[in-house]
Amino acid sequence: NYSLTEDFDTVVNLYKKGWTFTNFSVPQGTGTWKQGVYAPGKFGPDGFAAFSYNASGNEYIYADFNVGSGLSVCNTWIFTPALMMKNGDKFSFYTRSIGGTYPDRMQVRLNTDDNTDNVGTQTALSVGKFTKLFVDINATLQPSASGGYPTTWTKYEFTISGLPNIAVPLPRRIGFRYFVTDGGPSGANSNAIGIDL
């Protein structure tokens, strides 16, 4: 079984480790995946600490509605480095939303074809080579208070499948996709989510 631990200590370190980012929101905003900032008492992403037991409160990554502009389809990705994996490997992560009345959604997808971060052309619905869907949190865009995206750090786990059935692990990437229709600053959906591994 494969295990990945990421402290998310700084965004700069993520680039050095091979993580990559793509924002295909339409229309695209000025926001991107950001470093968590824990400041007790503040609203928004600043209002919650990282899940990690041995980390500072800042050590998570988050995205919010500003990845879109105006009324937008939020479609922004963060990709793991190329990981050696095979069918049957386990992968887990923690995520949460800041809640409120603006529903959030996130998908976790795998590129089963190669080790690139190719999600196709810059369109609102493009997934490119990340065709294997493992997790779709709050696909129907329900408010958190109605059972939508969790507002406390919640663990999700899935088993790798869809790779060629061979015993030798292959280098592949997992993509976390913040994907919210009717989102952005002028939309009825999208607030902010955090991810911690």
Side-chain angles (χ1 to χ4, degrees):
N1 290 350
Y2 184 82
S3 176
L4 171 68
T5 301
E6 176 55 62
D7 292 333
F8 292 118
D9 51 351
T10 70
V11 171
V12 171
N13 282 347
L14 293 180
Y15 284 107
K16 292 178 180 178
K17 295 175 184 177
W19 290 77
T20 57
F21 307 79
T22 296
N23 186 2
F24 276 5
S25 300
V26 178
Q28 191 177 90
T30 58
T32 185
W33 289 92
K34 299 177 184 178
Q35 182 73 45
V37 179
Y38 178 48
K42 288 188 177 181
F43 180 71
D46 294 349
F48 59 82
F51 173 80
S52 302
Y53 295 111
N54 59 351
S56 74
N58 301 342
E59 294 181 13
Y60 63 94
I61 195 89
Y62 80 90
D64 64 22
F65 61 89
N66 287 308
V67 301
S69 174
L71 177 60
S72 175
V73 176
C74 298
N75 181 29
T76 190
W77 302 71
I78 180 172
F79 306 95
T80 67
L83 307 172
M84 299 304 294
M85 62 181 76
K86 62 185 185 303
N87 293 328
D89 286 350
K90 304 287 187 183
F91 192 94
S92 64
F93 63 96
Y94 292 83
T95 187
R96 62 164 293 183
S97 168
I98 64 173
T101 58
Y102 299 96
D104 285 313
R105 179 184 184 187
M106 185 179 70
Q107 295 181 339
V108 182
R109 292 177 168 269
L110 174 67
N111 177 348
T112 60
D113 188 53
D114 59 32
N115 64 359
T116 68
D117 59 5
N118 181 354
V119 290
T121 56
Q122 186 164 352
T123 65
L125 304 181
S126 176
V127 298
K129 293 188 174 185
F130 285 78
T131 55
K132 184 66 176 180
L133 175 66
F134 288 114
V135 179
D136 195 349
I137 303 170
N138 199 24
T140 58
L141 291 169
Q142 300 301 309
S144 292
S146 302
Y149 213 103
T151 55
T152 58
W153 287 111
T154 302
K155 182 178 182 179
Y156 290 84
E157 183 176 89
F158 58 91
T159 302
I160 298 297
S161 62
L163 297 176
N165 190 16
I166 58 176
V168 178
L170 298 170
R172 295 292 184 265
R173 289 178 182 258
I174 291 171
F176 295 88
R177 181 193 194 196
Y178 183 54
F179 177 50
V180 189
T181 55
D182 192 11
S186 301
N189 303 321
S190 74
N191 206 340
I193 61 163
I195 301 173
D196 208 353
L197 301 182

